[in-house]
Amino acid sequence: MLLSILTSVLAAQTTAERPQKPIVLSSSGGFQIGGRTIHSPFNPNLTLSCDHGYMEYFLPSRPRKTSLVMWHSSSTQVFQNRWDGGPGYKDLFLRRNYPVYLWDGPRVGRANWACEPTLYIPTYMDTANFAAWNFGPRYKQWWPDVQFPTDSEDAWQQATSARYVEYDTKANVELHARAAAAAADSGRVGEDIVYLTNSAAGLRAQLTATLSNTTHIKGIVAYESIGYVFPDNINVTAGKGGFGPYVVPVEQFRKLARLPAIQFVWGDHRAENMSSVVESRVVARLINAYGGNARVVKLGDVGLKGSTHIPFADLDNGEVAGLLDDFLGENGLDGYVDGGDDEGDDDGKDDGRVLLKG
């Protein structure tokens, strides 16, 4: 028995210390897309290019066909690291050889040059951030099983500082969706796109799919989506604010049903009667009624406990990523550009090294 225990310990140490294959990129960069140019009312020769989105990209040397567009309505940082500073979704899926794109919609983050005046007034958001990101029922009262390093004040400061201003108005949601649709239709993000969204970005991605004029968008995985799109042939009244409900012509709504797959994902601390959970189930049924493939997944039902509002940054984000692996594989979205398979590839673990070829 002692020998067995020692063998297990040594094996675990060997695995932990084993050098991992570095992430190898063929290129990385970024570009602006969408937007418009306006002229000064006082001097028409003066112009401003504004209301564009910004896309940062990381392209593996041997890429899969599906591009993963990571979209949060107020923070790309949440895709870059785990709460404890470990590897985030960006590196986890670059190691799996998926092209990764980080998207900032118009007027937020690195795309904040607006065509209209915007207003920022400092507000005391830390308390609201704690509850909104579902670290616990109220400020600094952590869920007992929460997947967050609760003993680290630095981790909390990193998390609450990660947000930047978002404009949750109906007009801005539509502005974001139009810019994202232009990016999808341009081909510059690839011909097979899956949106990985969080919070209010889920609504924006749904609307983007209804506006796109190509078949490039292949799926949406919406983590804790706040806001949903409904067809205009049912008794749903459109909301006036930036969290919906959004009502679109039924022919536009059918575009959601044409996507190979959609998944709405919720953590285990979300009540079944929460309005957004209820809406996600209604919208999934509507999409499926038109021949689509939409599912609602509760992480607690598949054994993942203590999830926050941003489960892909949680301490168990490797297991959350495994569910995404399954989603991509089951829907034929995990193939390689060269037609090969995963044989010989790394297992997705990260050692912090990134190489850039070329």
Side-chain angles (χ1 to χ4, degrees):
M1 181 179 293
L2 179 60
L3 179 61
S4 176
I5 293 173
L6 287 172
T7 301
S8 298
V9 170
L10 289 172
Q13 289 177 337
T14 301
T15 299
E17 295 168 1
R18 177 175 61 88
Q20 301 296 324
K21 186 179 71 175
I23 297 170
V24 183
L25 303 179
S26 64
S27 64
S28 65
F31 57 87
Q32 293 79 26
I33 197 160
R36 58 195 177 102
T37 300
I38 60 175
H39 295 260
S40 167
F42 309 106
N43 182 348
N45 292 321
L46 298 177
T47 62
L48 175 66
S49 299
C50 46
D51 279 356
H52 50 265
Y54 177 78
M55 192 75 80
E56 183 178 16
Y57 61 84
F58 305 84
L59 307 181
S61 62
R62 181 179 175 242
R64 297 184 192 257
K65 292 188 294 184
T66 298
S67 300
L68 302 182
V69 176
M70 300 183 181
W71 187 353
H72 189 285
S73 51
S74 73
S75 176
T76 56
Q77 176 60 41
V78 293
F79 288 105
Q80 293 175 290
N81 291 101
R82 205 168 53 201
W83 297 128
D84 63 350
Y89 251 33
K90 176 176 75 70
D91 282 0
L92 290 179
F93 282 91
L94 282 176
R95 191 170 297 285
R96 289 158 162 82
N97 293 320
Y98 286 93
V100 168
Y101 294 76
L102 300 179
W103 171 247
D104 278 329
R107 304 183 185 179
V108 300
R110 294 166 292 179
N112 68 351
W113 222 335
C115 293
E116 298 174 358
T118 61
L119 178 65
Y120 170 71
I121 300 175
T123 53
Y124 301 95
M125 289 293 295
D126 287 353
T127 301
N129 285 347
F130 188 92
W133 285 9
N134 203 24
F135 297 133
R138 56 190 61 85
Y139 185 58
K140 287 301 183 75
Q141 293 187 24
W142 305 90
W143 296 118
D145 57 0
V146 70
Q147 294 288 334
F148 190 96
T150 59
D151 58 349
S152 172
E153 183 62 22
D154 180 65
W156 160 242
Q157 288 298 326
Q158 287 291 315
T160 194
S161 301
R163 295 192 75 174
Y164 38 69
V165 177
E166 63 179 281
Y167 300 98
D168 289 315
T169 66
K170 188 173 186 293
N172 272 277
V173 170
E174 293 168 355
L175 177 65
H176 283 212
R178 289 194 299 271
D185 291 349
S186 72
R188 297 181 69 179
V189 192
E191 296 186 358
D192 296 313
I193 299 168
V194 170
Y195 291 116
L196 306 182
T197 71
N198 184 229
S199 197
L203 169 62
R204 289 159 168 78
Q206 293 168 59
L207 192 58
T208 296
T210 70
L211 296 175
S212 172
N213 293 313
T214 66
T215 59
H216 293 165
I217 301 172
K218 296 298 194 292
I220 299 172
V221 177
Y223 295 98
E224 300 224 333
S225 180
I226 308 299
Y228 292 86
V229 172
F230 294 84
D232 64 358
N233 62 344
I234 63 173
N235 189 27
V236 171
T237 301
K240 296 181 180 180
F243 298 111
Y246 262 76
V247 177
V248 301
V250 65
E251 284 307 312
Q252 283 184 236
F253 185 84
R254 286 177 183 270
K255 292 183 180 181
L256 290 168
R258 296 186 192 119
L259 303 186
I262 296 175
Q263 193 175 83
F264 300 115
V265 182
W266 292 99
D268 56 314
H269 287 295
R270 294 302 192 185
E272 188 60 31
N273 63 355
M274 177 185 175
S275 60
S276 292
V277 175
V278 172
E279 286 184 315
S280 70
R281 293 198 182 279
V282 172
V283 170
R285 286 196 296 269
L286 289 168
I287 291 170
N288 294 339
Y290 286 107
N293 177 22
R295 290 183 58 206
V296 176
V297 175
K298 297 289 286 287
L299 293 177
D301 294 341
V302 294
L304 299 185
K305 304 296 184 181
S307 299
T308 72
H309 181 54
I310 306 174
F312 48 84
D314 284 350
L315 296 179
D316 63 349
N317 70 345
E319 294 175 76
V320 180
L323 297 176
L324 180 54
D325 283 331
D326 294 342
F327 170 89
L328 295 166
E330 290 167 2
N331 293 288
L333 298 169
D334 61 343
Y336 280 84
V337 171
D338 62 14
D341 56 27
D342 286 332
E343 186 175 354
D345 281 338
D346 195 76
D347 60 4
K349 295 180 180 178
D350 178 54
D351 67 346
R353 295 179 293 161
V354 178
L355 299 183
L356 183 63
K357 293 176 66 177

